[in-house]
Amino acid sequence: MASGPDLRTQVGIVGAGPAGLLLSHLLAQRGIDSVLVEDRSRAYCEARQRAGVLEAGSVTLLREAGLAGRLDREGLEHGGIYLQFAGERRHLDFQDLTGRSVTVYAQTEVVKDLIAARVATGGHLEFEVSGTEVADLDTGRPLLRYTTREGTRTEVACDAIAGCDGFHGICRPSFPAGLLTAVEREYPYAWLGILADVPPSTDELIYAHHAHGFALHSLRSPLLSRLYLQVEPDDDIAAWPDERIWAELQTRFALPGWELKEGPILDKGITPMRSFVSSPMRYGRLFLAGDAAHIVPPTGAKGLNLAMSDVAVLADALAGLLGGDPRRADAYSDTCLDRVWRCTHFSWWMTSMLHATPGADTMEAALQLAQLRYVTTSRAAATSLAENYTGYQPPR
Ligand code: FAD
Ligand code: DHB
C-alpha cells in the first residue's frame, strides 16, 4: 500500500531568494504556514552578490512586514542618479521630479535579514535539498517532493505551491507542455560586477555612456563600492585581472576634476543580460514569482523589486484562495504581468540608451546621445525616467 505524504503545509515554496523568503513572511503574517526548500546552503544564499537598489515601495513593503530594522539603520537613501555622456555628468533629482527616492541596500543583506527573521520565528526552511519536484498541480492538493540534506526523501501535501526558484528552477518547466508563452531577447553584452573595499567616489549612482561601453558606479556602504562594466557576453573573468578592470573603469568614468578611488577587489563576476517574460504565471495550484517567471537586464535595478512586488500580490491572492475566495488568485498572473511588462520596457530602454552595441553604426550612438540629452534637459522626459526608476505601479 502506498504511504501518504510525510508532511502537510498550506503553501510549499521552492527557492530561498528574495521572492520565496519574503513570501514565507507575508504568508505567516496572514496566519498561513509554509515549508520553504532551497537547494543551496544558507551561507551561499547570504553571500551571492546581486542587486542593490530598492524602490520606495519595496522599502515600505519590508517596513510594513516588520523586516526593515537594519534596512532603516544601514540603508542609504538616494534622491537621484547621475547620467554621464559626451564628457558631462548630469544629475537627475528624483525627489524634485517625483517626490520619491530609492534606497541602496544590498540584496545579500535583504536575504540575510529575511532568513534571520524566519529562523527566529520558527519558520520551516530547508537548505541544501536535492531532487526538488512538484506534482498534482491541477488538483486541490499539489505535492512538493525533495531530498533533505540528510538524505531523506520527503513529500509535502500542500494547498498551493509557489515557484520562487529563479530562472533555472524546476517550477516553470513543470507547467504542461504548450501552456506557456515565453518572449525573450538576449543582448550582445554582459556586466562584469565588482565589490571593492574602497569608499564610494560619488554621492549618487553614476550611469555612464562611453564609446568603450557602459559603466555603473554604485555602492554598498560608506566604505564599500560596487561597480559594473559592460563586457562581451562570452568574456571570461580570467581575462579581467584587477588592474585591467580599474583601468577600464577609470577610462569610462573619466571627468576633469573628479577622481575614481581604487581599492582591493573582494568579489567579481560576469552576468549575461536578457529580457524574458513567461506567461501565464499560474497553472492550477502552482504560482510562479520573481525570476522564475521573468528576467530583466539589470540596467535600472528592477529584478529584485519585481520579485518583491510579485510576492506582495501573491500573498493576498493565496490568502483569498485558501479562505475560499479565488478571485485574486485568478487575477494573479494578469495583475503581475502589467507591472512586469512596464519594468521590462524600462529596463530594455535604459539598456538600449546606455550600452555600446558591437558593430553598430554611428547612427545608434548619435540616437543614444540625443536621448540622453533629452532626459537630462526636458522635465517631462526626466520625470518619466524618475517615475519608472523609483517604482511605477500601473493602475488596475
Ligand atoms: P533568485 O534570487 O534567483 O532565487 C531563486 C532561488 O531558488 C535561489 O536561491 C536558487 O538557488 C533556488 N533554486 C533554484 N532551483 C531550485 C530547486 N530546484 N530547488 C530548490 N531551490 C532552487 N538585479 C538588479 O536589479 N541589479 C543587479 O545588479 C542584478 N545583478 C544580478 C546578478 C546575477 C548573477 C543574477 C543571477 C541576478 C541579478 N539581478 C540583478 C537580478 C536579481 O538579483 C533577481 O531579479 C532576484 O534575485 C530575483 O529574486 P528571486 O527570489 O525571484 O530569484
Ligand atoms: C545596482 C545594480 C543595478 O542593476 C543598478 O541599475 C543600480 C545599482 C547595484 O548592484 O548596486
Side-chain angles (χ1 to χ4, degrees):
M1 202 177 81
S3 61
D6 309 296
L7 292 174
R8 162 92 188 95
T9 192
Q10 288 176 288
V11 180
I13 303 176
V14 186
L21 289 165
L22 180 59
L23 180 66
S24 69
H25 280 282
L26 298 176
L27 291 174
Q29 274 190 322
R30 288 158 179 76
I32 297 171
D33 64 77
S34 61
V35 170
L36 185 155
V37 299
E38 162 63 49
D39 61 3
R40 301 290 193 155
S41 68
R42 176 175 176 177
Y44 181 92
C45 293
E46 291 184 341
R48 196 167 30 193
Q49 292 300 322
R50 286 187 169 177
V53 175
L54 297 179
E55 293 175 0
S58 301
V59 173
T60 304
L61 181 62
L62 290 168
R63 216 173 263 150
E64 286 175 358
L67 296 162
R70 202 159 65 92
L71 164 62
D72 280 332
R73 287 193 303 279
E74 296 177 18
L76 304 166
E77 198 173 329
H78 280 212
I81 57 167
Y82 295 103
L83 289 175
Q84 180 169 334
F85 57 97
E88 282 184 55
R89 188 174 293 169
R90 307 258 183 98
H91 189 243
L92 286 189
D93 187 335
F94 295 160
Q95 271 292 349
D96 173 47
L97 293 163
T98 65
R100 293 201 304 253
S101 53
V102 294
T103 299
V104 175
Y105 189 67
Q107 180 169 329
T108 46
E109 306 310 309
V110 173
V111 166
K112 280 184 211 162
D113 295 348
L114 291 174
I115 293 176
R118 208 60 202 115
V119 168
T121 50
H124 189 155
L125 305 182
E126 299 252 7
F127 288 95
E128 296 177 72
V129 306
S130 55
T132 315
E133 290 175 341
V134 294
D136 295 355
L137 302 171
D138 55 351
T139 72
R141 184 52 54 96
L143 297 171
L144 169 64
R145 297 194 194 100
Y146 58 95
T147 301
T148 65
R149 190 170 55 155
E150 293 74 28
T152 309
R153 191 72 188 154
T154 305
E155 183 171 89
V156 190
C158 311
D159 294 326
I161 294 179
C164 304
D165 51 348
F167 184 67
H168 299 288
I170 55 100
C171 288
R172 192 178 67 252
S174 303
F175 276 51
L179 199 90
L180 287 176
T181 303
V183 184
E184 181 164 26
R185 169 166 302 182
E186 292 199 2
Y187 296 87
Y189 12 86
W191 277 19
L192 188 164
I194 64 164
L195 185 67
D197 189 5
V198 61
S201 303
T202 181
D203 57 339
E204 308 266 36
L205 273 63
I206 307 168
Y207 287 79
H209 176 276
H210 191 276
H212 286 201
F214 171 70
L216 170 62
H217 189 333
S218 183
L219 49 140
R220 285 294 176 265
S221 75
L223 297 173
L224 281 179
S225 299
R226 177 89 169 137
L227 298 112
Y228 297 94
L229 276 176
Q230 175 189 342
V231 297
E232 307 274 322
D234 54 0
D235 238 321
D236 183 351
I237 195 72
W240 286 91
D242 295 2
E243 312 74 61
R244 182 179 176 205
I245 295 175
W246 284 117
E248 198 55 38
L249 287 166
Q250 294 289 1
T251 301
R252 297 189 197 181
F253 287 119
L255 199 69
W258 180 84
E259 190 203 347
L260 176 66
K261 294 189 284 275
E262 299 184 12
I265 294 181
L266 307 175
D267 184 278
K268 59 179 166 180
I270 293 183
T271 311
M273 292 167 71
R274 62 161 64 82
S275 295
F276 173 85
V277 180
S278 166
S279 58
M281 289 170 62
R282 173 195 184 180
Y283 167 66
R285 291 272 173 141
L286 173 64
F287 297 80
L288 300 181
D291 279 15
H294 42 73
I295 299 280
V296 289
T299 334
K302 289 293 154 217
L304 168 60
N305 292 291
L306 269 182
M308 291 172 65
S309 54
D310 280 357
V311 297
V313 177
L314 184 54
D316 283 336
L318 290 172
L321 183 68
L322 304 192
D325 176 0
R327 282 175 299 177
R328 276 172 294 179
D330 291 345
Y332 170 71
S333 187
D334 289 344
T335 305
C336 288
L337 285 168
D338 264 2
R339 182 166 140 81
V340 166
W341 274 112
R342 175 87 298 282
C343 292
T344 301
H345 177 271
F346 177 66
S347 307
W348 162 82
W349 177 76
M350 287 283 282
T351 300
S352 312
M353 179 169 71
L354 287 161
H355 289 71
T357 305
D361 55 14
T362 46
M363 174 62 94
E364 180 176 295
L367 290 173
Q368 289 176 326
L369 292 173
Q371 185 64 20
L372 283 160
R373 276 194 297 274
Y374 182 48
V375 292
T376 50
T377 52
S378 152
R379 189 169 175 91
T383 305
S384 170
L385 190 157
E387 177 177 64
N388 281 278
Y389 196 100
T390 56
Y392 178 70
Q393 187 54 57
R396 292 290 306 161

PDB file of all heavy atoms in Angstrom, residues 357-373:
ATOM      1  N   THR A 357      26.685  48.911 -28.668  1.00  0.00           N
ATOM      2  CA  THR A 357      26.452  47.646 -29.358  1.00  0.00           C
ATOM      3  C   THR A 357      27.608  47.370 -30.305  1.00  0.00           C
ATOM      4  O   THR A 357      27.899  48.199 -31.173  1.00  0.00           O
ATOM      5  CB  THR A 357      25.131  47.702 -30.152  1.00  0.00           C
ATOM      6  OG1 THR A 357      24.093  48.075 -29.240  1.00  0.00           O
ATOM      7  CG2 THR A 357      24.792  46.356 -30.772  1.00  0.00           C
ATOM      8  N   PRO A 358      28.260  46.183 -30.153  1.00  0.00           N
ATOM      9  CA  PRO A 358      29.382  45.878 -31.049  1.00  0.00           C
ATOM     10  C   PRO A 358      28.923  45.912 -32.511  1.00  0.00           C
ATOM     11  O   PRO A 358      27.866  45.375 -32.839  1.00  0.00           O
ATOM     12  CB  PRO A 358      29.781  44.446 -30.642  1.00  0.00           C
ATOM     13  CG  PRO A 358      29.118  44.177 -29.324  1.00  0.00           C
ATOM     14  CD  PRO A 358      27.960  45.101 -29.203  1.00  0.00           C
ATOM     15  N   GLY A 359      29.674  46.584 -33.340  1.00  0.00           N
ATOM     16  CA  GLY A 359      29.360  46.618 -34.776  1.00  0.00           C
ATOM     17  C   GLY A 359      28.246  47.573 -35.159  1.00  0.00           C
ATOM     18  O   GLY A 359      27.856  47.628 -36.332  1.00  0.00           O
ATOM     19  N   ALA A 360      27.722  48.344 -34.199  1.00  0.00           N
ATOM     20  CA  ALA A 360      26.619  49.255 -34.538  1.00  0.00           C
ATOM     21  C   ALA A 360      27.144  50.434 -35.357  1.00  0.00           C
ATOM     22  O   ALA A 360      28.318  50.794 -35.267  1.00  0.00           O
ATOM     23  CB  ALA A 360      25.963  49.763 -33.260  1.00  0.00           C
ATOM     24  N   ASP A 361      26.257  51.047 -36.140  1.00  0.00           N
ATOM     25  CA  ASP A 361      26.691  52.185 -36.954  1.00  0.00           C
ATOM     26  C   ASP A 361      26.700  53.463 -36.093  1.00  0.00           C
ATOM     27  O   ASP A 361      26.283  53.455 -34.935  1.00  0.00           O
ATOM     28  CB  ASP A 361      25.781  52.336 -38.179  1.00  0.00           C
ATOM     29  CG  ASP A 361      24.323  52.458 -37.777  1.00  0.00           C
ATOM     30  OD1 ASP A 361      24.044  52.701 -36.579  1.00  0.00           O
ATOM     31  OD2 ASP A 361      23.451  52.328 -38.648  1.00  0.00           O
ATOM     32  N   THR A 362      27.171  54.548 -36.692  1.00  0.00           N
ATOM     33  CA  THR A 362      27.269  55.798 -35.920  1.00  0.00           C
ATOM     34  C   THR A 362      25.892  56.351 -35.583  1.00  0.00           C
ATOM     35  O   THR A 362      25.741  57.134 -34.655  1.00  0.00           O
ATOM     36  CB  THR A 362      28.073  56.857 -36.700  1.00  0.00           C
ATOM     37  OG1 THR A 362      27.591  56.846 -38.038  1.00  0.00           O
ATOM     38  CG2 THR A 362      29.554  56.565 -36.665  1.00  0.00           C
ATOM     39  N   MET A 363      24.877  55.954 -36.355  1.00  0.00           N
ATOM     40  CA  MET A 363      23.513  56.413 -36.069  1.00  0.00           C
ATOM     41  C   MET A 363      23.098  56.004 -34.652  1.00  0.00           C
ATOM     42  O   MET A 363      22.519  56.790 -33.906  1.00  0.00           O
ATOM     43  CB  MET A 363      22.545  55.816 -37.106  1.00  0.00           C
ATOM     44  CG  MET A 363      21.085  56.091 -36.852  1.00  0.00           C
ATOM     45  SD  MET A 363      20.693  57.852 -36.884  1.00  0.00           S
ATOM     46  CE  MET A 363      20.189  58.046 -38.571  1.00  0.00           C
ATOM     47  N   GLU A 364      23.418  54.780 -34.260  1.00  0.00           N
ATOM     48  CA  GLU A 364      22.962  54.313 -32.944  1.00  0.00           C
ATOM     49  C   GLU A 364      23.525  55.170 -31.817  1.00  0.00           C
ATOM     50  O   GLU A 364      22.800  55.611 -30.922  1.00  0.00           O
ATOM     51  CB  GLU A 364      23.321  52.840 -32.709  1.00  0.00           C
ATOM     52  CG  GLU A 364      22.815  52.410 -31.339  1.00  0.00           C
ATOM     53  CD  GLU A 364      23.024  50.940 -31.045  1.00  0.00           C
ATOM     54  OE1 GLU A 364      22.419  50.122 -31.745  1.00  0.00           O
ATOM     55  OE2 GLU A 364      23.777  50.632 -30.100  1.00  0.00           O
ATOM     56  N   ALA A 365      24.830  55.440 -31.864  1.00  0.00           N
ATOM     57  CA  ALA A 365      25.438  56.258 -30.805  1.00  0.00           C
ATOM     58  C   ALA A 365      24.853  57.666 -30.815  1.00  0.00           C
ATOM     59  O   ALA A 365      24.603  58.257 -29.756  1.00  0.00           O
ATOM     60  CB  ALA A 365      26.952  56.299 -30.992  1.00  0.00           C
ATOM     61  N   ALA A 366      24.589  58.205 -32.004  1.00  0.00           N
ATOM     62  CA  ALA A 366      24.025  59.562 -32.088  1.00  0.00           C
ATOM     63  C   ALA A 366      22.614  59.588 -31.491  1.00  0.00           C
ATOM     64  O   ALA A 366      22.232  60.534 -30.798  1.00  0.00           O
ATOM     65  CB  ALA A 366      24.008  60.027 -33.539  1.00  0.00           C
ATOM     66  N   LEU A 367      21.835  58.540 -31.751  1.00  0.00           N
ATOM     67  CA  LEU A 367      20.467  58.472 -31.191  1.00  0.00           C
ATOM     68  C   LEU A 367      20.521  58.339 -29.671  1.00  0.00           C
ATOM     69  O   LEU A 367      19.716  58.944 -28.953  1.00  0.00           O
ATOM     70  CB  LEU A 367      19.699  57.288 -31.792  1.00  0.00           C
ATOM     71  CG  LEU A 367      19.315  57.422 -33.273  1.00  0.00           C
ATOM     72  CD1 LEU A 367      18.701  56.118 -33.789  1.00  0.00           C
ATOM     73  CD2 LEU A 367      18.345  58.578 -33.494  1.00  0.00           C
ATOM     74  N   GLN A 368      21.480  57.543 -29.173  1.00  0.00           N
ATOM     75  CA  GLN A 368      21.618  57.407 -27.716  1.00  0.00           C
ATOM     76  C   GLN A 368      21.925  58.759 -27.084  1.00  0.00           C
ATOM     77  O   GLN A 368      21.325  59.144 -26.078  1.00  0.00           O
ATOM     78  CB  GLN A 368      22.750  56.417 -27.381  1.00  0.00           C
ATOM     79  CG  GLN A 368      22.413  54.980 -27.704  1.00  0.00           C
ATOM     80  CD  GLN A 368      23.603  54.066 -27.443  1.00  0.00           C
ATOM     81  OE1 GLN A 368      24.762  54.457 -27.637  1.00  0.00           O
ATOM     82  NE2 GLN A 368      23.321  52.855 -26.998  1.00  0.00           N
ATOM     83  N   LEU A 369      22.855  59.501 -27.706  1.00  0.00           N
ATOM     84  CA  LEU A 369      23.226  60.806 -27.139  1.00  0.00           C
ATOM     85  C   LEU A 369      22.054  61.781 -27.209  1.00  0.00           C
ATOM     86  O   LEU A 369      21.822  62.567 -26.275  1.00  0.00           O
ATOM     87  CB  LEU A 369      24.450  61.366 -27.868  1.00  0.00           C
ATOM     88  CG  LEU A 369      25.743  60.575 -27.614  1.00  0.00           C
ATOM     89  CD1 LEU A 369      26.878  61.090 -28.495  1.00  0.00           C
ATOM     90  CD2 LEU A 369      26.152  60.635 -26.145  1.00  0.00           C
ATOM     91  N   ALA A 370      21.272  61.721 -28.277  1.00  0.00           N
ATOM     92  CA  ALA A 370      20.091  62.591 -28.395  1.00  0.00           C
ATOM     93  C   ALA A 370      19.109  62.280 -27.267  1.00  0.00           C
ATOM     94  O   ALA A 370      18.533  63.178 -26.642  1.00  0.00           O
ATOM     95  CB  ALA A 370      19.421  62.389 -29.759  1.00  0.00           C
ATOM     96  N   GLN A 371      18.931  60.986 -26.988  1.00  0.00           N
ATOM     97  CA  GLN A 371      18.003  60.581 -25.928  1.00  0.00           C
ATOM     98  C   GLN A 371      18.539  60.998 -24.552  1.00  0.00           C
ATOM     99  O   GLN A 371      17.785  61.477 -23.701  1.00  0.00           O
ATOM    100  CB  GLN A 371      17.785  59.060 -25.993  1.00  0.00           C
ATOM    101  CG  GLN A 371      16.759  58.519 -25.033  1.00  0.00           C
ATOM    102  CD  GLN A 371      15.341  59.043 -25.307  1.00  0.00           C
ATOM    103  OE1 GLN A 371      15.048  59.508 -26.400  1.00  0.00           O
ATOM    104  NE2 GLN A 371      14.498  59.003 -24.297  1.00  0.00           N
ATOM    105  N   LEU A 372      19.837  60.843 -24.352  1.00  0.00           N
ATOM    106  CA  LEU A 372      20.436  61.238 -23.065  1.00  0.00           C
ATOM    107  C   LEU A 372      20.321  62.742 -22.856  1.00  0.00           C
ATOM    108  O   LEU A 372      20.024  63.210 -21.746  1.00  0.00           O
ATOM    109  CB  LEU A 372      21.901  60.778 -22.996  1.00  0.00           C
ATOM    110  CG  LEU A 372      22.056  59.275 -22.697  1.00  0.00           C
ATOM    111  CD1 LEU A 372      23.431  58.763 -23.113  1.00  0.00           C
ATOM    112  CD2 LEU A 372      21.817  59.006 -21.203  1.00  0.00           C
ATOM    113  N   ARG A 373      20.538  63.524 -23.921  1.00  0.00           N
ATOM    114  CA  ARG A 373      20.373  64.986 -23.794  1.00  0.00           C
ATOM    115  C   ARG A 373      18.924  65.316 -23.459  1.00  0.00           C
ATOM    116  O   ARG A 373      18.642  66.183 -22.636  1.00  0.00           O
ATOM    117  CB  ARG A 373      20.792  65.684 -25.096  1.00  0.00           C
ATOM    118  CG  ARG A 373      22.291  65.938 -25.190  1.00  0.00           C
ATOM    119  CD  ARG A 373      22.636  66.922 -26.313  1.00  0.00           C
ATOM    120  NE  ARG A 373      22.275  66.386 -27.627  1.00  0.00           N
ATOM    121  CZ  ARG A 373      23.073  65.598 -28.353  1.00  0.00           C
ATOM    122  NH1 ARG A 373      24.277  65.275 -27.910  1.00  0.00           N
ATOM    123  NH2 ARG A 373      22.682  65.149 -29.519  1.00  0.00           N
TER     124      ARG A 373
END
